[in-house]
């Protein structure tokens, strides 16, 4: 382990800006770390050494010329392989896009580059972000750095592993039902799902368009704040990207929770959850109370309907979004003499089992005769779930909950039964249905040495308070300083 | 069962997915289990609840219709599985 890989993103950029280290040195350190450990972990599906070094050299030239190199100057970042990177293969973890090279950058990619970040490669994920363990990737297995027989969580598994294993300083993931927060919790790093509309989705390969949101992962909450600052804000290319002003997130990290009321939803402590997770989260809540927060019990009564609601809405949207993969304009084609047969053969060969399952479920929920009973019903229950949060957040500044009912499970443990896998998302999916911001921050370890995550859920567009709570907690503990045994 | 094998075939045709017999069987079982578990939604009375299709605030944002992307047919066609000059090639559609 070299010291440069250990630096926070904020500290690394500060040193580059002060000319104490070069962007090239930082990037070489990250590439060396990837070369040393990634064969054991499988976080990266496409490293980008040549372009990364060229980008780092350009940053060093800016610094030498006295130009502002940006708030992420020279910082090695990894990008989930569902986010388009011009000239760099973007697969979405799918055979159907295995050779797809985007002709343009996603808005978040372009904003990272503008901020001075150096993209060192693309990170593995569940196919089209559909999964909770990264086991649905068609491009390889990603392993948890704390125990390589276990999953990293999903769908942004590579994004969490690369940050935890010091292969890059920060990363981008996407979160449709928990896909940033769950792997962050399983790998012991911080990860944020911003409010729906806070970050542009332009150039992000679509899974469920009313739920998808890009979010940063880092080893410290402050790094998450720096990356959010770089990527947030309106984008003329995405009509859902809000024109609201972006506040100064780093300035919001006051280091205190004094004066805040934090709600503790009773439905998020359920029978069947791993006792060490419940205990770890309750100890963290006590800690927040000692730090000056007022803790208030609240109820989110429709929580038990969230899994069904989410998996009907998300799959319905997915079945529509994935209709574009037809073998005509890009991606895999299975040649057939007749067009219709070409579509069917291409999709049969290109999509994996979970993607097919979700396309089928979504197509069924939208089909004549079932639309009202499933899709419309789920949209109505979505309203009830959203209203639960609105009510709780009238009196509370934020809510605190577990991220997941368990710590990282074993590879293969939940692949046989899709419903069991879906239950991993039980504490994260409601947040997407309600469109709220939520942070996962490390809050302890179980007896097997696996990280536990604390979730902080906020009001719409109040990422500042969510980050403030996570940061104040983090700074009062040393969980985030522990390193996986590699 | 909440869904029959015939329904699975019908839905697969709608989704333009060719399924092997083993996949049909597996999906009939999986979707059956999933739909049975999701039937709990029907226990909620939502007759007076409006649906939520999205959580965006306010109205759709409009912008001036100004072309921002220069034509770049070569860049776009670079990913084409089959091309002919400036065109995507596909099997004959009309006999």
């Amino acid at each position: 382990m070299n010291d440069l890989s250990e630096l926070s993103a904020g500290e690394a950029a500060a040193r580059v800006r002060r000319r104490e280290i070069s962007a090239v040195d930082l990037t070489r350190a990250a590439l060396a770390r990837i070369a040393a450990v990634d064969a054991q972990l499988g976080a990266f599906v496409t490293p980008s050494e040549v372009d990364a070094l060229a980008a780092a050299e350009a940053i060093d030239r800016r610094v030498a010329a006295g130009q502002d190199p940006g708030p992420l100057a020279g910082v090695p970042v990894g990008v989930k392989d569902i986010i388009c990177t011009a000239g760099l293969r973007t697969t979405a973890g799918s055979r159907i896009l295995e050779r797809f090279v985007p002709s343009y950058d996603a808005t978040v990619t372009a904003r990272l580059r503008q901020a001075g970040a150096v993209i060192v490669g693309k990170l593995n994920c569940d196919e089209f972000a559909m999964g909770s363990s990264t086991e649905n990737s068609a491009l390889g297995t990603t392993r948890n750095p704390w125990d390589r027989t276990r999953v990293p969580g999903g769908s942004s598994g590579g994004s969490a592993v690369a940050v935890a294993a010091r292969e890059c300083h920060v990363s981008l993931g996407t979160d449709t039902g928990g896909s940033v927060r769950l792997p962050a919790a399983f790998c012991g790093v911080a990860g944020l799902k911003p409010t729906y509309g806070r970050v542009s989705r332009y150039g992000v390969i679509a899974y469920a368009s009313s739920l998808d949101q890009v979010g940063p992962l880092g080893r410290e909450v402050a790094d998450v704040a720096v990356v959010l600052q770089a990527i947030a804000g309106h984008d003329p290319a995405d009509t859902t990207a809000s024109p609201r002003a972006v506040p100064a997130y780093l300035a919001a990290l006051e280091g205190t929770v004094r004066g805040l009321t934090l709600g503790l939803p009773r439905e998020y402590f359920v029978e069947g959850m791993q006792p060490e997770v419940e205990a770890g989260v309750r100890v963290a809540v006590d800690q927040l109370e000692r730090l000056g927060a007022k803790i208030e019990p609240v109820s989110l009564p429709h929580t038990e309907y969230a899994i069904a609601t989410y998996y009907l809405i998300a799959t319905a949207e997915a079945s529509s979004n994935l209709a574009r993969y037809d073998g005509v304009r890009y991606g895999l084609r299975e040649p057939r003499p007749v067009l219709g047969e070409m579509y069917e053969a291409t999709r049969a060969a290109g999509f994996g089992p979970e993607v097919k399952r979700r396309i089928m479920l979504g197509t069924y929920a939208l089909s004549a005769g079932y639309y009202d009973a499933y899709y419309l019903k789920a949209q109505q229950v979505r309203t009830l779930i959203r209203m639960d949060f609105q009510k709780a957040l009238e009196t509370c500044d934020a809510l605190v909950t577990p991220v997941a009912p368990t710590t990282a499970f074993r590879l293969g443990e939940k692949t046989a039964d899709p419903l069991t896998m879906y239950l991993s998302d039980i504490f994260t999916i409601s947040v997407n249905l309600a469109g709220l911001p939520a942070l996962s921050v490390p809050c302890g370890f179980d007896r097997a040495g696996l990280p536990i995550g604390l979730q902080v859920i906020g009001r719409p567009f109040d990422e500042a308070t969510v980050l403030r709570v996570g940061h104040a907690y983090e700074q009062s503990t040393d969980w985030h300083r522990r390193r996986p045994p590699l | 069962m909440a869904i029959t094998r015939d329904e699975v075939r019908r839905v697969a045709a709608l989704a333009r997915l060719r399924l092997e017999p083993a996949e049909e069987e597996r999906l009939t079982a999986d979707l059956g289990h999933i739909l049975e578990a999701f039937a709990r939604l029907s226990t909620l009375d939502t007759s007076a609840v409006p649906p939520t299709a999205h959580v965006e605030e306010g109205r759709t944002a409009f912008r001036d219709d100004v072309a921002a992307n220069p034509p770049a047919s070569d860049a776009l066609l670079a990913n084409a599985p089959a091309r002919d000059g400036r065109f995507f090639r596909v099997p004959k559609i009309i006999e």
Side-chain angles (χ1 to χ4, degrees), chain B residues 67-84:
Chain B
N69 304 330
S73 50
D74 269 333
L76 294 175
L77 282 156
N79 279 299
R83 66 183 282 189
D84 184 355

Side-chain angles (χ1 to χ4, degrees), chain A residues 128-301:
Chain A
F128 288 104
M130 298 180 190
S132 310
S133 66
T134 312
E135 290 168 292
N136 294 331
S137 172
L139 281 95
T141 303
T142 303
R143 295 169 184 277
N144 192 306
W146 296 92
D147 176 349
R148 278 169 268 147
T149 67
R150 292 178 186 268
V151 302
S155 67
S156 311
S159 303
V161 171
V163 169
R166 278 64 179 167
E167 296 175 274
C168 55
H169 299 254
V170 284
S171 66
L172 292 184
T174 60
D175 191 316
T176 305
S179 284
V180 164
R181 292 161 285 157
L182 185 69
F186 279 11
C187 294
V189 300
L192 178 78
K193 184 207 94 77
T195 308
Y196 184 85
R198 182 69 294 178
V199 176
S200 168
R201 295 177 297 110
Y202 178 71
V204 179
I205 294 171
Y207 159 24
S209 302
S210 80
L211 304 164
D212 296 343
Q213 194 65 193
V214 177
L217 297 94
R219 294 191 291 266
E220 302 179 3
V221 173
D223 280 355
V224 169
V226 172
V227 177
L228 179 65
Q229 196 78 50
I231 62 173
H234 183 59
D235 176 12
D238 176 5
T239 184
T240 67
S242 172
R244 277 175 180 245
V246 179
Y249 294 116
L250 263 184
L253 307 183
E254 299 170 25
T256 173
V257 288
R258 206 161 289 282
L260 294 180
T261 301
L262 303 177
L264 197 60
R266 68 174 62 97
E267 291 82 2
Y268 282 56
F269 296 89
V270 294
E271 236 177 273
M273 69 190 288
Q274 192 178 324
E276 295 154 289
V277 171
E278 171 161 4
V281 170
R282 289 200 185 275
V283 169
V285 172
D286 290 346
Q287 173 80 352
L288 284 163
E289 192 168 25
R290 269 196 301 280
L291 293 172
K294 186 180 162 209
I295 307 297
E296 196 168 285
V298 294
S299 177
L300 301 168

Side-chain angles (χ1 to χ4, degrees), chain A residues 24-50:
Chain A
V24 167
D25 287 344
L26 264 179
T27 301
R28 286 218 175 98
L31 296 174
R33 181 73 181 155
I34 293 167
V37 301
D38 205 59
Q40 306 165 59
L41 297 172
F44 284 86
V45 289
T46 315
S48 177
E49 294 95 344
V50 175

Side-chain angles (χ1 to χ4, degrees), chain A residues 3 17 46 71 134 147 154 178 218 261 291 304 313 320 345 378 384 403 413:
Chain A
D3 290 330
R17 294 167 63 94
T46 315
T134 312
D147 176 349
T261 301
L291 293 172
E304 64 173 298
I313 289 172
S320 170
L384 297 174
V403 176
E413 186 179 332

